[in-house]
């Protein structure tokens, strides 16, 4: 399981389907802990108008055998820049792909989308109940008031 991106020059994939996520062995197997990735400047395109949509994503997971390598995750998330999909599809699709490929104990994603047309849309998905004893902090994104 040699990472494709870590320590290498990598270009932004043209689409989420072309993006390759790297997974490396969990350095603390047998320990239940939470990993959080925050992407406050996520972008995709509206599938109807082609206009950009912006979101603050928070991805939390409890690793099992592997962890996702952060550079490959950044490239994967960046590949959505020219991807046309509704907020729900982007948010849930990211969570499902990470869960399917990495097979963590548990995963959740919060997609806090900035408004277009005056209405913010927040999308949440999780793989199931969190493991017993897992410290689960609030995702820290305020209800919409400029998302500041």
């Amino acid at each position: 399981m040699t990472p494709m991106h870590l320590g290498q020059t990598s270009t932004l994939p043209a689409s989420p389907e072309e993006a390759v996520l790297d997974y490396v062995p969990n350095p603390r197997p047998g320990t239940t802990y939470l990993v959080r990735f925050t992407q406050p400047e996520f972008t995709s395109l509206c599938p109807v108008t082609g206009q950009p949509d912006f979101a603050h994503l928070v991805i939390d997971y409890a690793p099992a055998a592997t962890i996702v390598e952060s550079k490959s995750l950044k490239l994967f998330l960046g590949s959505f820049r020219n991807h046309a999909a509704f907020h729900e599809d982007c948010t849930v699709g990211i969570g499902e792909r990470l869960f399917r490929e990495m097979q963590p104990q548990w995963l959740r994603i919060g997609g806090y989308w900035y408004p277009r047309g005056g209405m913010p849309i927040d999308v949440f998905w999780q793989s199931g109940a969190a493991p017993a004893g897992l410290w689960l902090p609030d995702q820290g994104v305020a209800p919409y008031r400029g998302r500041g």
Side-chain angles (χ1 to χ4, degrees):
M1 182 176 353
T2 302
M4 179 177 176
H5 300 291
L6 188 62
Q8 306 298 320
T9 300
S10 300
T11 58
L12 190 65
S15 70
E17 295 78 25
E18 292 180 23
V20 175
L21 285 156
D22 288 331
Y23 303 95
V24 297
N26 179 356
R28 295 288 180 168
T31 302
T32 300
Y33 64 98
L34 184 83
V35 176
R36 172 169 289 167
F37 287 102
T38 303
Q39 174 56 282
E41 298 176 347
F42 179 83
T43 60
S44 65
L45 299 175
C46 174
V48 177
T49 66
Q51 295 294 312
D53 287 322
F54 302 90
H56 182 146
L57 299 182
V58 180
I59 301 166
D60 292 328
Y61 74 95
T66 63
I67 57 174
V68 66
E69 192 279 312
S70 62
K71 181 178 179 183
S72 73
L73 180 62
K74 289 177 211 173
L75 291 167
F76 170 60
L77 295 176
S79 74
F80 281 83
R81 272 185 205 162
N82 296 314
H83 179 74
F86 289 111
H87 304 340
E88 296 85 350
D89 189 34
C90 287
T91 306
V92 175
I94 291 166
E96 287 179 335
R97 179 163 173 190
L98 286 168
F99 187 73
R100 180 179 64 250
E101 292 183 10
M102 184 173 31
Q103 299 180 0
Q105 295 180 58
W106 174 83
L107 185 140
R108 76 173 176 184
I109 182 170
Y112 302 86
W113 293 83
Y114 293 85
R116 285 202 330 110
M119 182 185 300
I121 299 173
D122 295 339
V123 181
F124 306 97
W125 181 85
Q126 69 178 24
S127 61
L134 180 66
W135 177 38
L136 204 51
D138 181 81
Q139 289 195 326
V141 181
Y144 187 76
R145 283 184 23 201
R147 291 270 197 251

